[in-house]
Amino acid sequence: MTLAPYACDPGKTRGRRYAQAPAPTRTDYQRDRDRIVHSTAFRRLVYKTQVFLNHEGDLFRTRLTHSLEVAQLGRSVARSLSLNEDLVEAIALAHDLGHTPFGHAGQDALNVCMANHGGFEHNLQSLRVVDHLEERYPEFDGLNLTFETREGILKHCSRVHAEQLERFDPGGVGHRFLNRVQPSLEAQLCNLADEIAYNAHDIDDGVRSGLITLAQLQQVPLFDDHRRQTLAEFPHLQDKAQGRRLLYESIRRMLSAQVYDVIQATQAALQLAAPGTVDAVRHLPPLIQFSAAMREQSQMLKRFLLDKLYRHPRVLDTTGQAQQVVRDLFGRYLAQPDHMPESHQRRLAAALENEPVSERALARIVADYIAGMTDRFALREHQRLTGQRLLFESS
Ligand code: MG
């Protein structure tokens, strides 16, 4: 398949931090993807919360299935735009590797715990996982991924953290947050595919959990237009017993409409800007985009989900308990680092050698340890250390 001139070409990669001979049968981006799939952090995604706690039901999305859905949507758009599918897949599969247990509740709690120690951002943590925390190779820490995959993983970054990255790696992946440059189109695409994926699957999980209803969703034009079209075409889905099919068909149409919209709007933007290289892309405004009308519809859907699902009293109740688990764990390990496994003790000893503020170094290692936990491991650790049983399955 031919790549567009504005696509990332593995033959022109800015390379890896540690030079390695090329693989005989795979491009550098395919190799990145394979490294991600074989990582420990990737396997943990299956037991990490997306919105619904992992043990609340076997059929809700987890971080893993979410990441697979982002990769699927991203690849299908990438193919239509002649972008690099392998790079999109690598970025999509890695984009949530740094997520804490318990979804956003966990990340918010850890960020509060880390307030005096440099904060916690899940995008930066995903980069930390692939750059430092995975221990799989004889000669280096991390997965030694290409610049382009790492650039895509670091979706957002605060100025303070970008400055830190820049000190250790001048001109590296932190650089663009200091001089406001865009990432590759493949990275931009993963961002939008992430949004399309969670908006759609959160409707699905939300309805199946009973926290939101098809009737409520009639307030959301992006969903309701497709629900009405579906009913016009298949009137037998009016029957309540067919609710699932109606839900799935409406979501399917909604997804397709967004994918076609992104392809069309982006093709138009690309035609206008006509970037001749990936570097030209980086110096233009974001080009992967929805049409203005779709952007507005997607915002309305987001507001609905925020209001009716993410802030549903039942979700907020578990959020509060999840935050307590993270806070308690953080406090315990900070006070007694020997409660952490030996691998983390070793990391602590190494960090103390070149870090003057030792509490800061310890807090970072504790944050790395907690962020890497699956939901159920965090709950078990919490019970072991505090004797309390929070958020355990009722059965
Ligand atoms: Mg995501």
Side-chain angles (χ1 to χ4, degrees), residues 350-366:
L352 290 177
E353 274 173 24
N354 43 25
E355 173 98 38
V357 193
S358 63
E359 167 131 316
R360 198 180 172 99
L362 171 60
R364 182 59 59 195
I365 285 161
V366 169

Side-chain angles (χ1 to χ4, degrees), residues 50 63 66 70 95-96 155 194 198:
Q50 181 67 23
R63 286 273 161 213
H66 161 70
V70 176
H95 86 284
D96 274 350
K155 177 163 77 170
D194 188 20
Y198 65 67

Side-chain angles (χ1 to χ4, degrees), residues 8-23:
C8 284
D9 176 349
K12 295 181 193 149
T13 174
R14 279 174 61 178
R16 304 177 188 279
R17 300 205 300 171
Y18 306 93
Q20 289 186 287

